[in-house]
Amino acid sequence: MSELQFKSPSFIQRLKGMLGVDFYRLFHTPMFYIFLAIAAFIPAMVLGMTSAETAEGGAALYTNTWQVIAADTPLYVVNQIGEYANMNMVFIFGGIMVSVFIGHDYRSGYVKQLFTTHAKKQDYMLSKSLTGAFSMACMCVTYLLGTVAAGLFSGMSFEVNAGSLVCAIIGKMIMSLGWASLYTLLNVIFRRYFGICVALSFFLGTGIIIIGAAAILGNSPLLNIFLYGSSVYACLSGNAVNVIVCLACSAVWAAVYNILGSVILNRSDVY
């Protein structure tokens, strides 16, 4: 009799199946491509503002194209908008993307159908986190392409330490996993309140909490352990150590947020 029983699918099989569905839905979601275009357009808008300020005799926000990617050094206290208006903005739009994606799950009844046949809530959390991280990483790529195009059009300098630039870009892309996991958790907690999820994407994505802490503590390296801190730590003076810090921080927070989200889903009514 036991030989006729079907074996339960393994974790890898379950996750692979759920990721297949999520990526199919992602690639067929118009909002994904809209946000990719927005990410590519942001650098042109930012450098355009810089050119306008300079033309009017004001202080330039940037003196180098790559400053639109990352700050020169880890700056937790923002003295001017130019110190934050870089690739970190992708994490704000990435949060909105996660909210749209998970919000549709609940509005369409997909979650009810899924959890009726698929009891592993941690699989749902991990799949959504990985899908969200992928979408943010894609936004980082289009943001980079937009930066290069905007820099060429504006005639701004491209001088930079190539190794540090690569480390900064990789570091920010790695941070996508931590941010996506945070937004997935928030959308599980506030699953019935789409507006709150979007508002939190802006609030947390701008790093207001860490900026406030930095105003008290100063530019302390201790702030690197937080998502926003590590995102800022990926800078144009960075190296492989910065990438390792970003990787460790992103992985640890992703694990924490996925565990918390799984516990919440297991103990609450998700319908």
Side-chain angles (χ1 to χ4, degrees):
M1 183 68 177
S2 60
E3 294 179 357
L4 298 178
Q5 293 178 342
F6 291 102
K7 291 184 178 180
S8 299
S10 66
F11 167 73
I12 297 298
Q13 290 173 324
R14 296 195 313 267
L15 182 61
K16 183 178 179 180
M18 193 167 287
L19 282 173
V21 174
D22 281 341
F23 274 107
Y24 177 86
R25 291 178 58 230
L26 178 68
F27 292 137
H28 289 78
T29 301
M31 189 65 71
F32 173 58
Y33 300 100
I34 292 173
F35 279 163
L36 288 180
I38 290 175
F41 178 73
I42 290 174
M45 180 180 66
V46 171
L47 286 182
M49 290 170 54
T50 298
S51 300
E53 287 285 335
T54 304
E56 294 176 2
L61 293 178
Y62 305 99
T63 58
N64 186 287
T65 298
W66 302 119
Q67 290 172 334
V68 184
I69 296 291
D72 292 324
T73 57
L75 294 171
Y76 308 105
V77 181
V78 178
N79 297 312
Q80 62 171 342
I81 188 62
E83 294 173 350
Y84 180 79
N86 53 43
M87 193 178 278
N88 286 349
M89 290 188 288
V90 165
F91 301 130
I92 298 175
F93 292 98
I96 300 173
M97 182 70 216
V98 172
S99 296
V100 171
F101 205 57
I102 295 181
H104 181 267
D105 283 354
Y106 285 92
R107 290 193 302 272
S108 66
Y110 170 73
V111 167
K112 182 176 181 179
Q113 177 186 6
L114 175 67
F115 290 151
T116 300
T117 58
H118 191 105
K120 301 294 184 180
K121 307 299 191 300
Q122 63 267 29
D123 297 351
Y124 178 84
M125 284 292 303
L126 185 55
S127 180
K128 288 296 182 289
S129 295
L130 291 174
T131 306
F134 174 81
S135 65
M136 290 187 204
C138 289
M139 291 180 205
C140 287
V141 173
T142 58
Y143 185 100
L144 174 62
L145 296 176
T147 298
V148 173
L152 291 171
F153 183 78
S154 65
M156 194 167 288
S157 172
F158 279 89
E159 184 177 354
V160 72
N161 181 304
S164 294
L165 174 63
V166 171
C167 287
I169 295 172
I170 293 176
K172 291 187 182 296
M173 293 182 71
I174 287 173
M175 293 305 302
S176 295
L177 177 60
W179 282 106
S181 300
L182 170 60
Y183 293 134
T184 300
L185 171 63
L186 292 174
N187 278 272
V188 165
I189 296 174
F190 300 103
R191 53 192 172 275
R192 295 185 179 90
Y193 306 98
F194 176 75
I196 292 178
C197 295
V198 172
L200 286 173
S201 297
F202 277 97
F203 181 77
L204 297 174
T206 53
I208 292 176
I209 296 176
I210 303 303
I211 291 173
I216 299 173
L217 301 175
N219 285 325
S220 171
L222 291 175
L223 295 173
N224 293 332
I225 68 174
F226 298 100
L227 286 175
Y228 177 76
S230 292
S231 299
V232 174
Y233 192 55
C235 61
L236 296 179
S237 58
N239 50 38
V241 174
N242 296 65
V243 176
I244 293 173
V245 170
C246 290
L247 178 61
C249 177
S250 192
V252 169
W253 283 112
V256 170
Y257 293 139
N258 274 275
I259 291 172
L260 288 176
S262 299
V263 170
I264 292 172
L265 285 175
N266 281 317
R267 295 185 178 183
S268 61
D269 178 12
V270 299
Y271 305 131

